[in-house]
Amino acid sequence: INPRIISVASSGTPTPDVSTTDQYVITALSVAAAFGAPTGTPLNGQKLTIRIKDNGTARALTWNAIYRVVGTTLPTTTVISKVVYVGCIYNSDETTWDVIAVAQQA
């Protein structure tokens, strides 16, 4: 199955639409980003991957409360010119996107 990938250069309020997106990619974040609750109609167990890279300057990241951390820590800033992945699974029982993985480029 090919993932549905949506790519944006930058956004101050990144908000993936999970009805059309499996991987949300930010290629050159140029502002602080406050991730909003994903839009669309998620399915129980649906996966969402967020990939973030800044534009050569570290950027602050904040997360809507719907992103619930499970065994990891959400990033609060980017690392200059490094990619970070945030892996989430939708939990319809609790109406949360459980963040189960965060990986930073070395």
Side-chain angles (χ1 to χ4, degrees), residues 24-89:
Y24 186 82
V25 179
I26 301 173
T27 60
L29 187 63
S30 63
V31 295
F35 283 82
T39 61
T41 306
L43 302 173
N44 193 35
Q46 181 175 349
K47 294 170 182 62
L48 172 65
T49 303
I50 299 170
R51 185 175 82 200
I52 309 161
K53 185 175 182 181
D54 60 45
N55 67 343
T57 299
R59 304 294 176 181
L61 305 173
T62 57
W63 302 86
N64 183 285
I66 201 165
Y67 294 97
R68 181 175 70 172
V69 174
V70 178
T72 190
T73 303
L74 278 167
T76 56
T77 60
T78 61
V79 175
I80 295 173
S81 299
K82 301 290 185 180
V83 171
V84 64
Y85 283 90
V86 178
C88 311
I89 298 175

